[in-house]
Amino acid sequence: MDTLDRVVKPKTKRAKRFLEKREPKLNENIKNAMLIKGGNANATVTKVLKDVYALKKPYGVLYKKKNITRPFEDQTSLKRPNNLVIGRMYDYHVLDMIELGIENFVSLKDIKNSKCPEGTKPMLIFAGDDFDVTEDYRRLKSLLIDFFRGPTVSNIRLAGLEYVLHFTALNGKIYFRSYKLLLKKSGCRTPRIELEEMGPSLDLVLRRTHLASDDLYKLSMKMPKALKPKKKKNISHDTFGTTYGRIHMQKQDLSKLQTRKMKGLKKRPAERITEDHEKKSKRIKKN
């Protein structure tokens, strides 16, 4: 604890501002990614890191020098070539870490189409039952959302929806595709949508995992009380965001309900006679 106390105490105003930015907040800062080359990174892995960095800009840092880092202890390039390790941290410790193998790769430069501007917020699409059924794939989905989601925004304009990242889990592989969304004229107010691949394109296979325990994972996902929406009585929402309200009313006697006088609703003489007989019989029983 002594060493932490010495580090936390800033000596300049600039250091104080820096530490204040890194303090825990109700609304977290935008997550930045560190892209690091391992000691045995080959040309394919280097190109993948450059393309991923291009997708992450400006919320990422690419380190050009090789680092002798081995996230998994017995990691070797001979047994597992073209390795890509993705992970995230919680409370200054590694929370989840997943090793992916690159089986096929097409770079941004190889696909000669127009690209999206830097910093564009992507739409993330996940296809495949494994993302909802298998625990490793569920964590991978959560990790990819954390990595690519970008800043949190309150409103989105239609013209800003121009960038799609598509992940498909099929037959033990993960297919990663990147598309530019084109809005075409359709003859009505709603435009016609077309997808144009812009790269990069990756075929990945899941290798090794280092996942946090269920208790630690739940703790990392815990929402502060101040951010939890206050429950409103008698109001509910469905999966599509539609609001439903419940109204409580006193019990009504429908026989006394005033309706519009119509000939078809008038009681016949025979019905009146039977009602009179029933009322008289009730009075006799009471007496």
Side-chain angles (χ1 to χ4, degrees), residues 5-253:
D5 291 338
R6 285 200 298 272
V7 173
V8 168
K9 291 178 181 178
K11 293 182 179 180
T12 61
K13 289 184 178 180
R14 184 179 179 183
K16 185 179 180 180
R17 290 195 301 268
F18 176 78
L19 290 174
E20 284 176 352
K21 286 182 180 179
R22 300 192 66 175
E23 285 179 354
K25 301 179 181 67
L26 288 176
N27 296 308
E28 291 184 355
N29 300 329
I30 300 169
K31 294 185 178 180
N32 290 307
M34 293 189 300
L35 304 169
I36 304 171
K37 288 195 293 184
N40 298 320
N42 56 22
T44 301
V45 174
T46 303
K47 288 179 181 178
V48 170
L49 290 177
K50 285 182 179 179
D51 282 7
V52 172
Y53 173 63
L55 299 180
K56 279 289 296 179
K57 280 182 180 179
Y59 309 113
V61 179
L62 176 63
Y63 294 93
K64 296 181 180 180
K65 292 183 179 181
K66 290 186 177 182
N67 294 271
I68 310 300
T69 54
R70 289 186 172 85
F72 296 92
E73 292 181 2
D74 59 338
Q75 188 172 355
T76 60
S77 59
L78 296 175
K79 291 181 180 179
R80 299 177 183 85
N82 298 337
N83 251 358
L84 192 67
V85 180
I86 181 171
R88 57 184 165 183
M89 300 185 73
Y90 169 71
D91 196 20
Y92 303 100
H93 298 284
V94 175
L95 182 70
D96 290 329
M97 193 165 57
I98 296 177
E99 183 183 74
L100 301 169
I102 304 167
E103 293 196 341
N104 189 29
F105 169 63
V106 182
S107 69
L108 275 163
K109 292 181 179 179
D110 293 336
I111 298 176
K112 307 297 182 182
N113 288 329
S114 59
K115 314 299 180 186
C116 290
E118 180 183 312
T120 305
K121 186 177 175 67
M123 293 180 284
L124 304 177
I125 301 174
F126 292 86
D129 295 335
D130 286 335
F131 284 125
D132 298 318
V133 176
T134 311
E135 182 61 27
D136 288 350
Y137 279 85
R138 273 203 297 261
R139 291 288 183 91
L140 177 62
K141 177 182 176 180
S142 174
L143 223 165
L144 291 171
I145 291 172
D146 243 4
F147 189 83
F148 286 110
R149 68 186 302 173
T152 303
V153 294
S154 56
N155 296 310
I156 299 175
R157 61 189 181 93
L158 184 62
L161 302 175
E162 55 177 334
Y163 176 29
V164 178
L165 293 180
H166 195 283
F167 302 91
T168 305
L170 183 65
N171 298 328
K173 293 185 180 181
I174 301 110
Y175 299 95
F176 168 43
R177 301 292 183 268
S178 178
Y179 300 99
K180 185 175 182 180
L181 191 143
L182 306 175
L183 302 176
K184 301 286 187 177
K185 291 182 179 180
S186 62
C188 59
R189 289 188 65 185
T190 306
R192 181 169 55 87
I193 296 172
E194 290 184 3
L195 294 179
E196 181 181 76
E197 189 170 2
M198 70 173 196
S201 171
L202 286 159
D203 295 349
L204 305 168
V205 61
L206 190 66
R207 287 179 176 168
R208 291 178 292 180
T209 60
H210 177 78
L211 305 179
S213 63
D214 293 337
D215 294 336
L216 182 59
Y217 184 68
K218 287 179 182 178
L219 183 64
S220 67
M221 300 290 284
K222 190 176 180 180
M223 184 183 291
K225 289 183 180 180
L227 291 180
K228 289 182 179 179
K230 293 181 179 179
K231 291 184 179 180
K232 296 182 180 180
K233 290 184 178 180
N234 305 320
I235 292 177
S236 60
H237 302 273
D238 61 8
T239 52
F240 299 102
T242 308
T243 305
Y244 296 94
R246 181 180 294 176
I247 301 173
H248 295 277
M249 299 178 66
Q250 294 180 353
K251 190 175 181 181
Q252 290 182 321
D253 187 358

